[in-house]
């Protein structure tokens, strides 16, 4: 038989991942969208969980210690971030970047984009800075220089612990 669209729109699915320590990672899906992730201990106690909205953003997150008590201000997952926010990061890039580098090196008029990849360490240090493309005229080197010289970031957090996080940044040069 074929299920009707109404029935499929209410479909719930659960995925289990069994770990070596006998804990279980559980993902709950509704209509093909992940709505909750949780880790369950071998004694069937929830260790941590996160609930997601339709855009995949966390709306609720909690963690519990070995006694089952809630850990205050628990962070399930959080991306690395510049300490002064996105506007602060943009201001840093604008102030630090020598946007005349391509013009000084003879680049023709136009817009050029450089994508830079870098790691934010557990301590917030920026490392492994490299350009993923190079339009020439010194643009890749300039973009790498600016990002490599940036102040420390707030590290990414996963399961309430800092983790190393790979970040990408696109920088656009305009030659007039």
């Amino acid at each position: 038989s074929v299920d009707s669209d109404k029935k499929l729109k209410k479909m719930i699915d659960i995925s289990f991942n069994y770990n070596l320590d006998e804990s279980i990672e559980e993902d709950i899906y509704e209509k093909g969208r992940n709505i909750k992730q949780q880790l369950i201990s071998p004694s069937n106690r929830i260790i941590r969980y996160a609930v997601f909205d339709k855009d995949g953003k966390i709306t609720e997150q909690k963690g519990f210690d070995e006694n089952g008590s809630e850990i205050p201000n628990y962070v399930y997952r959080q991306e690395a971030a510049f300490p002064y926010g996105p506007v602060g990061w943009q201001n840093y890039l604008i102030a630090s970047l020598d946007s005349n580098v391509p013009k000084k090196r003879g680049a023709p008029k136009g817009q050029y984009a450089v994508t830079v990849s870098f790691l934010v360490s557990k301590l917030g240090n920026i490392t492994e800075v490299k350009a993923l493309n190079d339009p020439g005229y010194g643009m890749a080197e300039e973009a790498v220089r600016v990002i490599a010289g940036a102040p420390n970031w707030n590290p990414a957090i996963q399961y309430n612990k800092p983790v190393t996080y790979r970040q990408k940044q696109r920088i656009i040069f305009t030659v007039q």
Side-chain angles (χ1 to χ4, degrees):
S1 74
V2 176
D3 288 322
S4 72
D5 284 345
K6 283 184 183 178
K7 198 171 185 181
L8 289 174
K9 286 180 182 174
K10 295 179 183 176
M11 186 173 60
I12 299 280
D13 189 21
I14 301 176
S15 167
F16 298 97
N17 187 15
Y18 298 90
N19 298 321
L20 292 175
D21 67 357
E22 298 184 5
S23 64
I24 300 169
E25 292 180 47
E26 186 177 75
D27 286 288
I28 302 169
Y29 296 88
E30 183 177 53
K31 298 181 233 171
R33 182 178 58 80
N34 192 336
I35 59 170
K36 186 175 184 181
Q37 291 179 340
Q38 58 189 14
L39 180 66
I40 302 168
S41 73
S43 62
N44 211 25
R45 206 175 27 79
I46 294 178
I47 297 171
R48 62 179 175 252
Y49 74 85
V51 177
F52 305 97
D53 68 11
K54 63 181 171 81
D55 297 320
K57 292 192 176 17
I58 295 174
T59 59
E60 182 182 350
Q61 56 189 334
K62 292 192 189 268
F64 304 91
D65 64 20
E66 56 278 347
N67 300 318
S69 299
E70 185 177 335
I71 299 169
N73 303 316
Y74 183 85
V75 177
Y76 187 83
R77 182 175 60 216
Q78 179 178 297
E79 293 180 0
F82 190 68
Y84 307 106
V87 172
W89 178 238
Q90 183 178 5
N91 289 341
Y92 166 77
L93 292 173
I94 291 168
S96 303
L97 194 71
D98 182 355
S99 59
N100 289 319
V101 164
K103 185 176 181 180
K104 290 176 193 173
R105 297 205 181 168
K109 289 182 182 180
Q111 278 197 334
Y112 304 88
V114 178
T115 301
V116 178
S117 171
F118 59 99
L119 290 181
V120 178
S121 76
K122 294 177 184 181
L123 300 174
N125 301 316
I126 292 178
T127 63
E128 296 187 28
V129 183
K130 59 184 171 190
L132 300 179
N133 67 308
D134 186 358
Y137 305 99
M139 289 179 267
E141 294 87 352
E142 179 62 8
V144 166
R145 179 193 70 78
V146 169
I147 289 179
N152 283 1
W153 282 41
N154 297 327
I157 298 177
Q158 186 170 10
Y159 312 138
N160 223 37
K161 295 180 182 166
V163 293
T164 299
Y165 184 83
R166 180 159 301 281
Q167 179 77 23
K168 288 183 185 175
Q169 177 65 53
R170 189 167 182 231
I171 296 177
I172 297 175
F173 290 87
T174 302
V175 179
Q176 308 246 6

